[in-house]
Amino acid sequence: MHRFEETRILPCSAQAMYDVVMDIDAYPLFLPWVADSRILTRQDGELTAELVADLAGMKQPFQTVDRYVENKMVEIRLLNGPFNFLESMWSFEALDEGSCRVAFSIAFEFHNMMLRMLATPVFATACRSMVHAFERRAIDMGRER
């Protein structure tokens, strides 16, 4: 199983980071490994989403259930897809109006040996750059307002 964790203080609000994480439909615009994404269902504090990961030229769709508390946290768990296991967690702590502490963690394992060999390095690299990609998006969105 592969795991990655990162906690950083970022120059944007907790709400801005939360909004970017929850804007699943926009993921293909700023996450190079996401070929497509969409929200399937949404109800109080929970949504299901489908993402299509482009991993070493192999498109792999997967669905998640995401539980969330607005501006505080998002917990992501696998419903189905090319993984034996996929769990991720975002937490957001406002420090002041223009900064926040963000913690991100992810653990995953592909179920197919070929995917493990070919896609794990690509997905692991994507995971390591995740917080930075979302931070850039939040800052860019703040400039556009």
Side-chain angles (χ1 to χ4, degrees):
M1 176 126 24
H2 297 273
R3 297 178 190 277
F4 177 75
E5 295 181 9
E6 182 173 7
T7 300
R8 292 186 40 213
I9 294 175
L10 303 179
C12 51
S13 70
Q15 179 180 348
M17 280 300 292
Y18 171 84
D19 289 347
V20 170
V21 170
M22 292 299 290
D23 191 7
I24 294 164
D25 293 333
Y27 284 10
L29 299 175
F30 67 96
L31 294 173
W33 62 272
V34 176
D36 195 17
S37 60
R38 64 190 172 113
I39 294 173
L40 303 172
T41 65
R42 186 187 302 261
Q43 57 189 13
D44 293 336
E46 186 176 292
L47 62 84
T48 58
E50 180 174 67
L51 282 76
V52 178
D54 187 349
L55 303 168
M58 297 175 287
K59 297 223 185 327
Q60 298 292 322
F62 63 98
Q63 291 80 39
T64 62
V65 61
D66 303 5
R67 292 177 182 90
Y68 55 90
V69 175
E70 190 169 343
N71 299 332
K72 298 290 183 199
M73 73 85 166
V74 180
E75 177 188 75
I76 302 156
R77 294 185 186 268
L78 180 69
L79 283 175
N80 60 62
F83 300 93
N84 279 332
F85 184 84
L86 174 69
E87 277 187 10
S88 183
M89 176 74 130
W90 289 92
S91 67
F92 314 96
E93 177 188 353
L95 300 175
D96 57 39
E97 249 183 60
S99 67
C100 66
R101 178 176 291 113
V102 173
F104 170 71
S105 65
I106 189 167
F108 70 94
E109 180 179 75
F110 289 100
H111 62 75
N112 175 303
M113 179 60 88
M114 184 179 85
L115 274 175
R116 262 187 243 148
M117 290 173 45
L118 297 174
T120 294
V122 175
F123 197 66
T125 298
C127 292
R128 285 191 295 275
S129 67
M130 197 82 72
V131 174
H132 185 66
F134 280 87
E135 174 190 10
R136 275 194 326 262
R137 177 73 173 175
I139 290 169
D140 290 348
M141 295 304 291
R143 287 185 190 132
E144 291 174 11
R145 290 182 184 157

